[in-house]
Amino acid sequence: MSKSVWLGRARGPVKLAMIGFCGLALVLYVWLVSARVMDPETAIGMQEMIRPQGRPMVKLMMFALIGALFFASLYLSDFKGDIEPGRKGFFDIVSLVLSRAAMILVAVIVLVMFYEVVSRYVFSRPTLWANELSLWLASFVFLLAGQYAMQQRSHIRIYVIYDHMPRWMRKTADTISVLLITGFAFALVWGGYSDAKTRFLRMETFGTAWDPPIPGTIKPFLLIAIVLVAVQAISNLIADWNREIADLHADEIDETEIENIRRTLEEHN
């Protein structure tokens, strides 16, 4: 069993909650598919899944899916990847949890597109929703990826001048960078809040046959995402304030990858 990153003894209960919500979602999915096969006229389809008003089964399914995603993200965030740096900042846990949610959504997008390909080219029954659902989920993944990259310090940085600065000047440069990020986040929220609020309150839709509320959800989440990135930047600044320069951007040695390469070379020789 891998060492717990932050959950500790709570890992077991979180795992049970994840299994429970996943099981509930699977049971509800089987029930919905069976109902659609037996009575296609009154069955709940994807058209109704984004319109839960007056449909308790749809609300229960959404509750199960959100719960499964939430607890799966919590559980997976308790494991450290081979090339992931250790947790250092006060906001790292939030970023790790959301990054696991984004990773899960990538897998969901793959399944959705696989379903669409099989439905379209094998059964000649293309869907109205697969492309838009993939676009919708990919938008969340794109926005969450920026926060994860910030937490991992993976954004492109050029150190030709930075490495030769004295410590006080490097701290000044880092502080200016964070202030610029924070200022941009403030300006974006200041200028986009009213529009995002309007779109969210009327749950503006995409204007297509399936008509998902992509504008009504993505625009508000864009503002949330940029605020999260700014908070993570502040967390990085505090965590890295007294670190040596060699620790800030030294390439992580992926021992697992090196061992795999060595094994492959030995097999071919």
Side-chain angles (χ1 to χ4, degrees):
M1 179 65 69
S2 301
K3 182 180 178 181
S4 173
V5 173
W6 68 284
L7 282 176
R9 294 182 178 179
R11 178 189 281 188
V14 169
K15 182 179 180 181
L16 291 177
M18 176 189 69
I19 295 173
F21 275 101
C22 289
L24 176 61
L26 181 60
V27 170
L28 292 173
Y29 175 77
V30 172
W31 185 88
L32 291 171
V33 171
S34 301
R36 190 164 184 82
V37 171
M38 292 184 294
D39 189 6
E41 298 298 328
T42 60
I44 297 174
M46 288 299 293
Q47 193 73 21
E48 292 77 26
M49 287 301 296
I50 57 174
R51 297 168 179 83
Q53 294 82 2
R55 299 183 177 93
M57 188 57 66
V58 173
K59 293 181 179 179
L60 182 59
M61 184 63 171
M62 293 178 66
F63 173 74
L65 291 174
I66 293 173
L69 178 63
F70 175 72
F71 283 104
S73 301
L74 287 179
Y75 179 71
L76 294 176
S77 69
D78 199 43
F79 295 87
K80 179 179 175 296
D82 291 332
I83 61 174
E84 282 185 324
R87 178 170 62 91
K88 302 177 182 70
F90 68 89
F91 202 66
D92 285 6
I93 289 300
V94 176
S95 297
L96 289 174
V97 172
L98 293 177
S99 72
R100 271 39 177 190
M103 295 174 190
I104 294 171
L105 292 181
V106 171
V108 174
I109 292 172
V110 172
L111 293 175
V112 169
M113 295 311 298
F114 176 77
Y115 179 89
E116 169 65 11
V117 169
V118 173
S119 180
R120 178 183 294 269
Y121 294 106
V122 177
F123 299 102
S124 297
R125 297 185 62 183
T127 67
L128 295 174
W129 51 266
N131 182 63
E132 291 163 21
L133 179 58
S134 300
L135 176 66
W136 197 3
L137 297 179
S139 300
F140 287 104
V141 173
F142 175 80
L143 294 174
L144 292 174
Q147 181 185 356
Y148 182 56
M150 179 64 72
Q151 188 272 328
Q152 296 287 301
R153 285 96 168 151
S154 297
H155 288 110
I156 296 175
R157 300 176 69 180
I158 301 173
Y159 296 97
V160 175
I161 301 176
Y162 184 87
D163 284 357
H164 294 86
M165 291 179 178
R167 179 183 288 271
W168 69 268
M169 192 175 292
R170 292 198 301 268
K171 289 183 177 181
T172 302
D174 293 339
T175 303
I176 292 174
S177 297
V178 172
L179 288 175
L180 290 174
I181 294 172
T182 306
F184 174 75
F186 176 80
L188 191 63
V189 173
W190 180 271
Y193 175 77
S194 296
D195 182 55
K197 179 181 178 181
T198 301
R199 291 172 186 266
F200 178 75
L201 291 178
R202 72 185 183 205
M203 202 49 67
E204 183 176 334
T205 57
F206 205 45
T208 57
W210 190 43
D211 209 21
I214 294 179
T217 53
I218 295 300
K219 186 59 182 289
F221 192 76
L222 171 63
L223 303 184
I224 295 173
I226 192 60
V227 170
L228 293 176
V229 170
V231 175
Q232 183 61 58
I234 296 172
S235 175
N236 289 354
L237 179 66
I238 296 173
D240 297 341
W241 190 254
N242 293 315
R243 293 177 64 192
E244 293 297 329
I245 187 171
D247 298 332
L248 295 178
H249 59 272
D251 292 336
E252 296 285 346
I253 299 176
D254 188 353
E255 298 291 349
T256 302
E257 184 65 22
I258 293 176
E259 182 61 31
N260 291 336
I261 294 174
R262 184 182 295 113
R263 189 181 301 113
T264 302
L265 293 174
E266 291 175 353
E267 291 176 354
H268 284 80
N269 293 332

